[in-house]
Amino acid sequence: MSRFKRGGRVDSLSGFQTDKAEPAVPNGLLNAARKSGQLNLSGRGLTEVPQNVYRLNVDTPEEANKNLSFGADDRWWEQTDLIKLLLSSNQLTTLSDDIRLLPGLTTLDLHDNKLTSLPGALGELEQLQQLRLSNNQLSTLPVEMCRLHNLHSLTLQKNLLETLPEELGQLDNLTELKLDLSHNLLTSLPDSLAKLASENPFMCLTSSETRFVSRGNVLRPCCAFTGLKLLDCSNNQLTCVPASLSEMTSLEQLYLRHNKLRLLPQLPATILKELYLGNNQIERLEAEQLASLAAISLLELRDNKIQSIPEEVTLLATLTRLDLTNNDVATLPASLSLLPNLKVLMLEGNPLRGIRRDLLSVGHTHILWLLSFLEEPGKVDETPTAMTLPSQARVNIHNLQTLKILDYSEKQSENIPDEVFDAAAGQIVTTMNFSKNQLTTLPPRLAEFQGSLTELNLGFNKLSCLSPAVSTLMQLTHLDLRNNQLSDLPSDLGSLKKLRSVILNYNKFKCFPDVLYEIVSLETVLLGNNQVGGLDAERLKALAALYTLDLSNNDLLNVAPELGLCTSLRCLSLDGNPFRTPRAAIVAKGTDAVMEYLRSRIPT
């Protein structure tokens, strides 16, 4: 008999039924839980936890009350106490004090509900090791919860928490702590958390998007966390990072993405290995700040406003990965080629001079080799760089002759003047950039460069249809049509056998363009922020070279499991769609997790 049934307590509810009908939980499921000790009620639309779930260890099975015979495998008096209760993705608003009737629980999953409060009785679950409370509406936590001395995993992200109990520091018997506080309304952290950090070498604190609006406020209480190894303060409004952060001497990973930092923080943290600073407003890198990163291995600086890389980058002797994607870097120092351990260098989305964009896809090794042959810094190139045309349009002759780039972007022009094409006459042009104009049709003179043109950027225009004439550009490898008004692509596009990437973000596509299924050379298809409602996963498998597929922020109501069989995909973006499966938690784990989930759903 369960050890939790002994005790002689009189059950005033036994044998009575309430007037209010409880959500049905099949008796077969309850009986299975008595044998296994595990009960999964996730995703059943429950608005409250049925009373017979709370009383699973107390009441005898309904079959026993009816004097039914039991086989050897159904002896209820030998039932196992419930140790794992999964109630995620329901509509629960409260949890009853009767949760104390399940004192054997080691795992309680309540994430993705509508809980606004928790009962103090939760503190009586002395065996509890994992408590998942994310994606609820909690504004406070009961102090009694701090008695859960066996707890080693607590997730609280995406709630409405404004404060945390100081008693949280009483959870001092933990050997491992994972405390996730991201996406709340916290303005400070209790000092007692520092005690946990100092006593738990594996502690991981995540506090991203907690709305720490005061300058550096999030970090002041954290600086006492001398044992902390990972700190995530992404998605706040930080404009600077205090130097006192250096007191966190055990810090190895620091996430400061999506803030308002203008300078690289000075971090004399001697063992910091990974620093993530993407999506800030950093404009320059100072030698002093670089020198402080003595042990850095990964430095992410993507999506900032960095204009140049100082020669002192050579101080980062341990650097293996440098991400400078989408900045304003125009030149690279030759000294970059001297970094002994650099294995990954990401430069796409920068206005680099002297390095053709097609070389960026070749790999960092080739780029570093080119840098080693650069001329000495300071040498002036006296070659004229621009000529003024009769229309007052300016064409960079240096780029045209040396880099084979014809650029007439950001002019807000309704057409490309003939003088622009005349300036390029007789030249071998591989790249044309006509983005950020007011074009409504494809420039007819593009056909003059069909033998050499490999990259065409028509983004940020007013194209509502794409002329079949684009199919004459047989050498085309990259086509950028983002931010237009396109809803379809011409079937003639299928004749472009060398096309590797097509960018269609922010258009009006309601389905995956048919013609793209036929272009087997495609490696990248970006269709984010459209109205795509369907995808033929079977046809997509024919694109054996497809590496990146962006379908984020569309109208996908379902994702076919067969998409998991597109084995070439390494980067799949599906967030921001209304489908229910895979769940957001799986999507957030990245491409590998999504693909594995989809394959597991394929009928066998």
Side-chain angles (χ1 to χ4, degrees):
M1 179 180 294
S2 167
R3 66 179 184 277
F4 299 118
K5 189 176 179 182
R6 296 192 300 266
R9 282 187 290 184
V10 178
D11 178 13
S12 60
L13 296 177
S14 179
F16 291 90
Q17 292 183 339
T18 60
D19 294 334
K20 183 178 180 180
E22 296 175 340
V25 176
N27 286 329
L29 199 59
L30 296 176
N31 289 336
R34 289 185 174 95
K35 297 178 186 177
S36 66
Q38 302 183 21
L39 180 58
N40 187 352
L41 297 177
S42 300
R44 289 179 171 265
L46 300 175
T47 56
E48 60 181 12
V49 180
Q51 194 66 27
N52 54 2
V53 172
Y54 288 127
R55 305 181 63 78
L56 190 68
N57 291 336
V58 177
D59 291 342
T60 56
E62 182 179 340
E63 292 86 344
N65 291 330
K66 293 180 180 179
N67 295 319
L68 299 180
S69 60
F70 286 82
D73 295 332
D74 296 310
R75 293 182 293 188
W76 59 266
W77 56 88
E78 294 182 358
Q79 71 180 38
T80 299
D81 300 318
L82 195 66
I83 60 174
K84 188 173 185 179
L85 178 57
L86 309 182
L87 291 164
S88 63
S89 301
N90 282 292
Q91 304 292 319
L92 303 178
T93 56
T94 59
L95 193 68
S96 168
D97 277 327
D98 287 337
I99 192 69
R100 61 164 56 96
L101 299 178
L102 298 171
L105 285 178
T106 60
T107 297
L108 178 58
D109 188 351
L110 293 162
H111 86 268
D112 193 19
N113 277 284
K114 297 181 178 180
L115 294 171
T116 57
S117 62
L118 295 171
L122 198 63
E124 299 179 30
L125 306 183
E126 297 179 356
Q127 306 302 316
L128 201 61
Q129 299 175 18
Q130 296 186 41
L131 180 57
R132 301 167 189 161
L133 297 168
S134 58
N135 289 80
N136 279 284
Q137 299 172 23
L138 299 170
S139 57
T140 59
L141 298 177
V143 174
E144 292 85 351
M145 200 180 82
C146 301
R147 302 173 189 161
L148 301 175
H149 295 295
N150 285 310
L151 200 66
H152 68 73
S153 179
L154 175 60
T155 57
L156 293 165
Q157 69 269 33
K158 294 187 178 180
N159 276 282
L160 303 174
L161 293 171
E162 298 179 0
T163 60
L164 294 175
E166 184 63 35
E167 291 81 0
L168 206 61
Q170 294 176 8
L171 303 175
D172 54 0
N173 291 324
L174 303 177
T175 57
E176 177 185 357
L177 174 63
K178 179 182 179 183
L179 178 58
D180 193 335
L181 302 170
S182 60
H183 298 269
N184 278 285
L185 304 177
L186 296 167
T187 56
S188 63
L189 298 176
D191 293 336
S192 61
L193 280 183
K195 182 173 182 285
L196 292 178
S198 62
E199 295 179 358
N200 295 281
F202 301 104
M203 180 175 178
C204 163
L205 175 63
T206 304
S207 57
S208 62
E209 201 160 304
T210 50
R211 301 189 190 178
F212 293 98
V213 294
S214 299
R215 179 174 292 190
N217 218 24
V218 58
L219 294 174
R220 289 193 182 100
C222 292
C223 294
F225 291 10
T226 56
L228 201 65
K229 291 182 177 292
L230 184 153
L231 176 63
D232 188 344
C233 293
S234 302
N235 293 90
N236 282 286
Q237 300 182 35
L238 298 174
T239 57
C240 70
V241 176
S244 57
L245 190 68
S246 61
E247 297 172 18
M248 302 171 68
T249 53
S250 298
L251 200 61
E252 296 182 0
Q253 294 174 277
L254 177 59
Y255 293 79
L256 293 168
R257 291 169 171 159
H258 293 278
N259 279 289
K260 296 183 178 181
L261 300 173
R262 292 186 177 276
L263 291 173
L264 187 71
Q266 187 166 351
L267 300 167
T270 55
I271 65 170
L272 188 67
K273 294 181 173 62
E274 299 180 9
L275 178 58
Y276 299 85
L277 291 163
N279 294 92
N280 276 280
Q281 301 171 18
I282 298 173
E283 297 177 353
R284 65 182 186 274
L285 304 178
E286 302 286 355
E288 187 178 3
Q289 280 83 1
L290 291 175
S292 68
L293 302 175
I296 202 72
S297 173
L298 186 156
L299 181 57
E300 181 202 79
L301 294 165
R302 65 179 300 130
D303 296 290
N304 277 283
K305 299 178 180 180
I306 299 169
Q307 298 179 6
S308 62
I309 308 299
E311 294 287 338
E312 289 81 3
V313 71
T314 54
L315 296 172
L316 307 180
T318 57
L319 192 64
T320 61
R321 182 184 180 95
L322 177 59
D323 187 350
L324 292 165
T325 303
N326 297 334
N327 276 280
D328 298 326
V329 178
T331 60
L332 295 174
S335 58
L336 198 60
S337 65
L338 302 178
L339 291 175
N341 296 300
L342 191 61
K343 297 178 181 178
V344 177
L345 176 61
M346 304 175 71
L347 296 167
E348 291 186 4
N350 284 280
L352 289 167
R353 298 195 300 266
I355 298 179
R356 298 201 319 270
R357 271 186 290 170
D358 59 320
L359 292 179
L360 298 182
S361 61
V362 173
H364 79 284
T365 303
H366 191 66
I367 295 172
L368 296 177
W369 178 80
L370 289 175
L371 290 174
S372 67
F373 288 93
L374 286 179
E375 299 176 357
E376 295 94 358
K379 183 175 180 180
V380 179
D381 185 356
E382 298 179 355
T383 305
T385 60
M387 65 178 290
T388 302
L389 303 173
S391 65
Q392 299 304 309
R394 293 180 66 83
V395 172
N396 191 314
I397 298 301
H398 175 75
N399 283 353
L400 187 58
Q401 295 178 346
T402 307
L403 305 179
K404 303 178 175 57
I405 297 175
L406 179 59
D407 189 344
Y408 192 75
S409 60
E410 301 187 55
K411 302 293 191 293
Q412 299 303 313
S413 176
E414 294 181 358
N415 56 70
I416 308 300
D418 282 336
E419 295 97 321
V420 173
F421 290 105
D422 292 342
Q427 302 285 342
I428 297 177
V429 179
T430 61
T431 300
M432 288 189 180
N433 184 3
F434 299 146
S435 64
K436 298 184 180 179
N437 282 291
Q438 301 289 321
L439 304 180
T440 57
T441 59
L442 197 70
R445 292 186 62 178
L446 282 177
E448 297 175 18
F449 303 89
Q450 60 182 299
S452 61
L453 190 61
T454 61
E455 297 186 29
L456 177 59
N457 187 348
L458 293 168
F460 297 90
N461 278 286
K462 294 185 176 180
L463 299 172
S464 58
C465 63
L466 189 63
S467 168
V470 71
S471 62
T472 64
L473 307 176
M474 301 300 292
Q475 304 303 316
L476 208 59
T477 59
H478 301 282
L479 179 59
D480 191 340
L481 295 167
R482 77 185 78 183
N483 291 77
N484 277 281
Q485 300 171 23
L486 298 168
S487 58
D488 200 6
L489 296 176
S491 59
D492 306 74
L493 201 68
S495 62
L496 301 182
K497 303 301 182 184
K498 296 184 179 181
L499 193 62
R500 288 164 44 197
S501 71
V502 58
I503 303 176
L504 300 168
N505 303 79
Y506 292 97
N507 276 281
K508 297 182 177 181
F509 291 94
K510 294 187 177 180
C511 62
F512 192 89
D514 250 7
V515 66
L516 296 186
Y517 292 117
E518 303 170 9
I519 307 176
V520 296
S521 56
L522 281 174
E523 299 173 1
T524 299
V525 175
L526 305 185
L527 255 172
N529 294 280
N530 278 276
Q531 303 164 36
V532 176
L535 179 73
D536 191 332
E538 287 293 336
R539 295 181 66 187
L540 199 69
K541 287 193 295 184
L543 304 184
L546 190 61
Y547 189 93
T548 300
L549 176 60
D550 180 7
L551 291 168
S552 60
N553 300 318
N554 276 283
D555 296 333
L556 293 174
L557 293 175
N558 58 73
V559 181
E562 289 75 18
L563 185 60
L565 299 178
C566 296
T567 55
S568 61
L569 277 178
R570 292 294 180 271
C571 182
L572 174 62
S573 298
L574 293 173
D575 53 297
N577 281 280
F579 55 75
R580 294 178 64 88
T581 57
R583 292 193 174 276
I586 296 175
V587 174
K589 291 180 180 180
T591 300
D592 289 342
V594 172
M595 298 293 279
E596 182 180 355
Y597 171 83
L598 291 174
R599 286 192 291 269
S600 72
R601 305 281 291 184
I602 297 175
T604 55

